[in-house]
Amino acid sequence: MAADFRFIVVGRGMMGAAAARHLANKVDGVALIGPDEPEDRANHQGVFGSHYDEGRITRTIDPDADWARLANRSIARYAEIERDSGIQFFAPVGCLVVGPKRGGADSYVDNVVDAAARLGVQTELLDDAGLKAKFPFFSFAEGSEGVYEPHGAGHISPRRLVKAQSLLAQKAGARIINQTVVSIRDEGGLVTVATAHGETFRAEKVLLAAGGFSIAEVLLQRPVQMRVYGRTVTFFEVSEAQAEALSAMPSLISSKPDDIDSIYLLPPIRYPDGKYYIKIGGDPDDLELDSEPELRTWFRTTGRDKVRDHLTRIIDELVPSVTGPSAFTNSCAVSYSPTRYPMIGYTSSPRAAVLTGGCGMAAKSSDEIGRLGAELLLEGRIKDDAYHTDFSAHFRT
């Protein structure tokens, strides 16, 4: 049998689209397979993507050095991707990370400062008075300390980033196939990819980048070992005048010692309906989704009311000028690998690999994660030695 493609990337999300772009820039014979965003989410019976949104925080400052490097390298390529695609997806409004003041039992802010220093990232340290003076629209607890990254940070539109990456992959020669993959099998020296449309495609190598849907029982011969959790995000509408008044608001990550009230928040962003919304996320507990059918069912919902109420209480305290009930909520999902780093490795077959496990932090870093996935297929291994982790892949026994 002859191969239809040299490389197939399964999954048209942020990591998969990035991997396809990097592959197509190196070689011919690349395909990117995955469905479009559904028009009717509530009644859609297929798979979903977590990039169906306009806001994700992007920043280098992170308490983990490897995650900080993944972000730093990705952010450095944003301008090139925007220029070459003609699609703007990055809003450089800065990012603020706030936690308990250093010197106590909580080391969160200490770790953020150390990671930023290792990468030479410009930051500003702010005590209680500094936070109040610079960001008067926030109301933080006494005894807080903030790390502010003013440049190369802010938020991205994951929806437009995927569009930009896909367009550039296509410009470089990749074929975009709007279908849903149902199985990946190593057969006769090639990998056969079957779709829900009844078509099959063969390739020398395949990279599975299907996010939480990578746990599907029949997708690989051995499913990935990954825990997937449903998340609820909540949106608060603000007027155009309010959005203008809050124009200096950065993206925010607020860490609390018990983690229950830890949240992330994005400043007012204009959504496709023309309205401005502040987005907040941070579930107080976990809703684990054990199977792909459960994950599909979850994405058809608008999330959990208890999380909406929890986040409403927090935003009332944190941003007092934003009042009233939430405009709407939505469902999302995060996927955690056993190592808490992305899994970028081969299955038992040297021709089939996985690129998954964003751990709730991969949107901002997706271009570098995709580049590492492309390197895995091109070189047979990740040759980059800048990371402490080996991005090992794990599979169910």
Side-chain angles (χ1 to χ4, degrees), residues 13-31:
M14 284 176 279
M15 292 190 287
R21 178 178 76 87
H22 284 284
L23 285 168
N25 282 337
K26 297 282 188 180
V27 297
D28 295 327
V30 176

Side-chain angles (χ1 to χ4, degrees), residues 86-154:
I87 298 171
Q88 184 179 354
F89 57 84
F90 175 41
V93 298
C95 182
L96 174 65
V97 174
V98 175
K101 187 177 180 179
R102 290 172 299 166
D106 193 299
S107 62
Y108 184 82
V109 172
D110 257 326
N111 293 336
V112 170
V113 171
D114 289 346
R118 280 193 293 271
L119 289 172
V121 177
Q122 178 189 343
T123 58
E124 182 180 352
L125 287 172
L126 300 164
D127 59 12
D128 285 330
L131 287 168
K132 187 173 183 179
K134 195 171 188 70
F135 305 111
F137 31 74
F138 289 135
S139 179
F140 297 111
E142 290 295 320
S144 295
E145 191 169 20
V147 185
Y148 177 52
E149 182 178 4
H151 306 296

Side-chain angles (χ1 to χ4, degrees), residues 226-259:
M226 196 166 65
R227 305 190 81 163
V228 180
Y229 300 98
R231 293 287 189 252
T232 300
V233 288
T234 304
F235 298 82
F236 292 84
E237 184 181 352
V238 296
S239 67
E240 189 168 352
Q242 284 177 299
E244 178 62 30
L246 297 173
S247 60
M249 180 182 286
S251 295
L252 170 70
I253 296 171
S254 174
S255 177
K256 298 290 186 178
D258 61 6
D259 213 36

Side-chain angles (χ1 to χ4, degrees), residues 1 3 15 46 58 62 112-113 120 142 156 171 180 257 259 313 329 338 371 386 388 390:
M1 293 185 295
M15 292 190 287
T58 185
D62 192 283
V112 170
V113 171
E142 290 295 320
I156 58 171
K171 280 185 174 181
T180 300
D259 213 36
R313 173 184 62 79
T329 60
R371 186 193 70 80
H388 299 295
D390 61 1

Side-chain angles (χ1 to χ4, degrees), residues 260-337:
I260 293 175
D261 282 1
S262 294
I263 57 93
Y264 67 87
L265 181 144
L266 288 103
I269 297 173
R270 188 172 185 173
Y271 271 69
D273 64 1
K275 297 178 180 180
Y276 290 88
Y277 299 98
I278 290 177
K279 173 186 170 183
I280 182 173
D283 291 47
D285 59 359
D286 285 326
L287 174 67
E288 187 162 5
L289 305 168
D290 295 320
S291 68
E292 193 222 24
E294 283 186 51
L295 186 55
R296 292 187 193 218
T297 299
W298 167 250
F299 267 106
R300 288 194 289 269
T301 75
T302 57
R304 296 187 289 166
D305 290 346
K306 65 175 288 188
V307 180
R308 176 202 61 205
D309 295 341
H310 171 77
L311 295 173
T312 299
R313 173 184 62 79
I314 291 174
I315 199 170
D316 283 348
E317 297 169 356
L318 184 61
V319 192
S321 62
V322 176
T323 59
S326 63
F328 64 95
T329 60
N330 218 337
S331 54
C332 194
V334 292
S335 308
Y336 286 94
S337 70

